[in-house]
């Protein structure tokens, strides 16, 4: 059985490969079913879908929304309609807010003596703080991505600027309005009471949990599968592939199995 992967990034956000290249990379890893889920944009989805059709890889359109929360929280929208007016309007607003935030971050870093802007390598769509972190490294002020964030970009650091994001409920409403399924991304990374949060999100319309993720422990997988059973949620899988910007390979050990059966049927058996 071919593998599937519902969390992949291209260079329309903070990945390093064109959307057209992703299906071929996936197929080389035995993945013939996938979702493209760039940060706050679905601009590369149609290109990935067309490329996938030419080589026998089924691609569904997706997005990963950054959500307002005390710590990092991301919501996947799977099988959305990229042309939904609400989604198009959101992407334009979010893209502009990102550009304004990035401008403010670069200005603060410059005032602190770090010429990060001179070393920026831009995405084809939405630049993220990852691009700024890479520029900080290229400028010689950090050796690793975690160091760049911890020294310059996280709250309390010289280059920190708060972002403007939708709430959890707003993010799910947007995904649902665009015909998609809201899935909580990498719940294993949540720095809060994950059980309580997931139960609250389920009341708002959460469809699934990204149970199978590279950083998930076996204990976390069992716990999230139990929550799925209790709350009527669906388990999904994702590598969070970012190309050369992250080590996670496309696919991982994700194949159709009993835990992932509902997600498989929802997105691919049509």
């Amino acid at each position: 059985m071919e593998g599937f992967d519902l969390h992949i990034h291209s260079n329309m956000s903070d990945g390093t490969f064109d959307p057209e290249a992703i299906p071929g990379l996936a197929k080389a890893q035995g993945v013939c079913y996938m979702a493209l889920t760039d940060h706050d944009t679905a601009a590369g989805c149609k290109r990935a879908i067309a490329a996938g059709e030419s080589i026998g890889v089924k691609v569904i359109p997706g997005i990963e929304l950054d959500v307002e929360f005390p710590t990092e929280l991301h919501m996947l929208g799977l099988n959305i309609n990229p042309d939904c007016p609400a989604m198009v309007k959101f992407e334009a607003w979010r893209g502009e807010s990102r550009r304004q935030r990035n401008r403010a971050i670069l200005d603060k870093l410059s005032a602190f003596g770090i010429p990060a802007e001179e070393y920026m390598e831009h995405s084809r769509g939405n630049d993220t703080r990852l691009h700024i972190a890479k520029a900080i490294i290229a400028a010689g002020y950090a050796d690793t991505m975690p160091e760049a964030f911890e020294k310059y970009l996280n709250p309390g650091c010289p280059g920190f600027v708060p972002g403007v994001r939708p709430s959890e409920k707003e993010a799910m409403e947007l995904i649902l309005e665009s015909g998609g399924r809201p899935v909580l991304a990498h719940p294993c990374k949540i720095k809060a009471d994950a059980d309580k949060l997931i139960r609250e999100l389920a009341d708002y319309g959460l469809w699934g949990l990204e149970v199978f993720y590279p950083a998930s422990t076996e204990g976390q997988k069992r716990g999230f599968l139990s929550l799925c059973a209790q709350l009527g949620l669906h388990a999904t899988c994702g590598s969070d592939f970012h190309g050369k910007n992250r080590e996670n390979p496309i696919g991982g050990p994700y194949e159709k199995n009993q835990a992932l059966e509902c997600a498989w049927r929802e997105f691919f058996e049509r």
Side-chain angles (χ1 to χ4, degrees):
M1 174 62 66
E2 299 95 341
F4 69 120
D5 190 332
L6 300 177
H7 190 166
I8 295 175
H9 295 270
S10 76
N11 60 10
M12 295 305 294
S13 62
D14 52 355
T16 58
F17 291 98
D18 290 334
E20 293 89 347
I22 299 292
L25 295 171
K27 189 170 185 178
Q29 295 297 317
V31 173
C32 290
Y33 304 89
M34 57 161 281
L36 186 66
T37 55
D38 280 311
H39 288 284
D40 297 325
T41 181
C45 288
K46 292 180 181 179
R47 293 158 56 190
I49 290 169
E53 288 175 347
S54 70
I55 60 171
V57 174
K58 172 69 174 178
V59 181
I60 61 170
I63 195 167
E64 183 173 16
L65 304 180
D66 290 9
V67 175
E68 186 61 42
F69 197 69
T71 59
E72 180 182 290
L73 189 68
H74 293 166
M75 189 71 62
L76 294 170
L78 299 179
N79 213 23
I80 63 169
N81 173 9
D83 296 323
C84 169
M87 184 62 71
V88 172
K89 182 178 180 180
F90 167 82
E91 289 187 45
W93 167 77
R94 191 69 178 99
E96 181 57 29
S97 68
R98 275 187 180 276
R99 285 187 286 274
Q100 291 179 6
R101 185 192 190 195
N102 290 343
R103 177 72 270 153
I105 291 172
L106 291 169
D107 288 346
K108 289 190 72 172
L109 290 173
S110 178
F112 192 70
I114 300 175
E117 187 168 10
E118 298 177 17
Y119 296 86
M120 281 283 287
E121 294 182 6
H122 298 282
S123 75
R124 300 291 180 86
N126 284 338
D127 284 347
T128 69
R129 290 193 303 158
L130 180 146
H131 294 92
I132 297 177
K134 289 180 67 177
I136 291 171
I137 294 169
Y141 289 86
D143 294 323
T144 65
M145 299 288 280
E147 182 185 2
F149 276 92
E150 290 166 9
K151 290 178 68 175
Y152 302 109
L153 299 176
N154 285 342
C157 295
F160 176 72
V161 175
V164 180
R165 307 178 182 90
S167 68
E168 308 99 289
K169 187 176 181 180
E170 289 170 336
M172 285 190 288
E173 288 175 345
L174 174 65
I175 292 166
L176 291 168
E177 185 175 352
S178 68
R181 299 289 183 264
V183 172
L184 183 61
H186 36 66
C188 63
K189 295 171 61 177
I190 293 173
K191 296 179 181 178
D193 185 336
D195 186 284
K196 179 182 178 182
L197 174 64
I198 291 167
R199 291 179 185 277
E200 292 174 352
L201 295 178
D203 290 337
Y204 292 152
L206 186 69
W207 186 86
L209 297 178
E210 192 174 41
V211 173
F212 297 92
Y213 184 81
S216 296
T217 66
E218 290 303 315
Q220 287 173 322
K221 292 174 189 175
R222 288 193 295 271
F224 293 136
L225 285 173
S226 176
L227 272 177
C228 285
Q230 293 175 47
L231 302 174
L233 301 176
H234 303 82
T236 73
C237 58
S239 65
D240 206 0
F241 178 73
H242 281 70
K244 298 175 184 179
N245 285 337
R246 189 170 293 178
E247 295 180 356
N248 301 347
I250 287 180
Y254 309 131
E255 296 183 351
K256 179 182 176 184
N257 58 43
Q258 186 175 3
L260 294 168
E261 180 76 27
C262 288
W264 182 280
R265 289 201 309 267
E266 174 72 16
F267 301 124
F268 301 116
E269 288 191 352
R270 294 187 174 184

